[in-house]
Amino acid sequence: DAKTTQPPSMDCAEGRAANLPCNHSTISGNEYVYWYRQIHSQGPQYIIHGLKNNETNEMASLIITEDRKSSTLILPHATLRDTAVYYCIVRGSTDSWGKLQFGAGTQVVVTP
Amino acid sequence: DTGVSQDPRHKITKRGQNVTFRCDPISEHNRLYWYRQTLGQGPEFLTYFQNEAQLEKSRLLSDRFSAERPKGSFSTLEIQRTEQGDSAMYLCASSLAGVANSPLHFGNGTRLTVT
């Protein structure tokens, strides 16, 4: 499986956009980029996923570079409730029964 | 919308005792996964079911661990002769096979403390 690299932590001011980077330089052509977040004492929460096109939903936007070697998760207007560990995961479409392999993630702290 | 449900939320047990956790997936989901998460780490894959068939087990799943999904609906994870190293959050997730890239949806886990 391709692996991802994320910064261990980042801070963001409430109301501002949070841009979370992820490197996945060994990603294969059929592998998707997934983002999850985990708020303290809860299970991981699905945010968004994409293959090569940019994606947007009610939670966030996902920007994938043209060479697919990196991506950015954008939280457009961060709130205190967005404080969490954010995981960027590369997932094959057919291998390993679709299981996810988590890294250490990025601890995001949103401050007032 | 009922998500993935896990029971109990917390379990404290003494070393050497057996414990069993239950997971109820989202009703139409036929794939079910168990993960373990220790403090400061991301979740680690333990095992996977499609319907009632257990199709993959991680090397992390020692002989003291057993998981079942007898009717392809809820699942149980049993740990026999618990050790202090088993203390962790045990997470269950489910997804829909046959739908390309169906995301995994997680429950809020069972936190096990072995004293």
Side-chain angles (χ1 to χ4, degrees):
Chain A
D1 286 352
K3 294 185 178 179
T4 63
T5 303
Q6 299 179 253
S9 64
M10 60 184 295
D11 294 338
C12 178
E14 187 179 20
R16 303 293 293 271
N19 297 302
L20 282 61
C22 179
N23 287 323
H24 31 79
S25 58
T26 59
I27 192 169
S28 299
N30 65 346
E31 290 179 319
Y32 284 69
V33 179
Y34 276 72
W35 284 84
Y36 280 74
R37 73 179 183 183
Q38 188 171 23
I39 296 168
H40 183 60
S41 295
Q42 296 183 18
Q45 177 189 22
Y46 166 75
I47 301 174
I48 198 168
H49 73 278
L51 182 63
K52 53 184 176 181
N53 296 323
N54 298 338
E55 302 288 345
T56 295
N57 63 19
E58 64 278 4
M59 291 182 67
S61 295
L62 174 60
I63 309 298
I64 303 174
T65 57
E66 191 169 345
D67 64 6
R68 302 210 323 122
K69 293 184 177 182
S70 65
S71 61
T72 301
L73 181 75
I74 301 173
L75 308 177
H77 304 287
T79 72
L80 299 179
R81 288 176 294 180
D82 291 323
T83 291
V85 177
Y86 286 76
Y87 297 100
C88 170
I89 302 165
V90 169
R91 182 194 192 195
S93 60
T94 57
D95 67 315
S96 303
W97 311 106
K99 73 183 180 190
L100 301 172
Q101 296 200 354
F102 290 80
T106 296
Q107 172 68 65
V108 173
V109 176
V110 180
T111 55
Chain B
D1 176 28
T2 55
V4 177
S5 176
Q6 293 189 247
D7 183 70
R9 286 298 313 276
H10 303 275
K11 178 70 176 180
I12 300 174
T13 191
K14 293 185 177 180
R15 188 177 55 187
Q17 297 295 304
N18 299 345
V19 294
T20 300
F21 311 139
R22 177 180 170 123
C23 171
D24 286 272
I26 294 171
S27 59
E28 64 269 24
H29 284 184
N30 47 8
R31 287 183 169 178
L32 187 146
Y33 309 77
W34 284 98
Y35 282 77
R36 181 177 71 184
Q37 185 174 26
T38 53
L39 202 61
Q41 304 296 316
E44 297 173 292
F45 171 77
L46 290 178
T47 190
Y48 158 74
F49 289 85
Q50 180 149 328
N51 299 312
E52 66 276 8
Q54 188 174 17
L55 297 182
E56 186 175 351
K57 292 193 287 187
S58 162
R59 59 181 172 77
L60 295 175
L61 210 67
S62 77
D63 291 345
R64 297 183 297 105
F65 288 69
S66 63
E68 294 182 343
R69 194 183 183 198
K71 297 183 179 179
S73 56
F74 72 92
S75 176
T76 58
L77 178 68
E78 181 183 16
I79 309 174
Q80 296 182 327
R81 305 180 303 281
T82 53
E83 302 172 356
Q84 287 187 321
D86 297 331
S87 295
M89 173 80 86
Y90 290 85
L91 293 160
C92 176
S94 68
S95 71
L96 194 59
V99 175
N101 283 286
S102 169
L104 274 65
H105 295 272
F106 285 82
N108 283 328
T110 293
R111 180 166 296 284
L112 173 66
T113 302
V114 182
T115 62

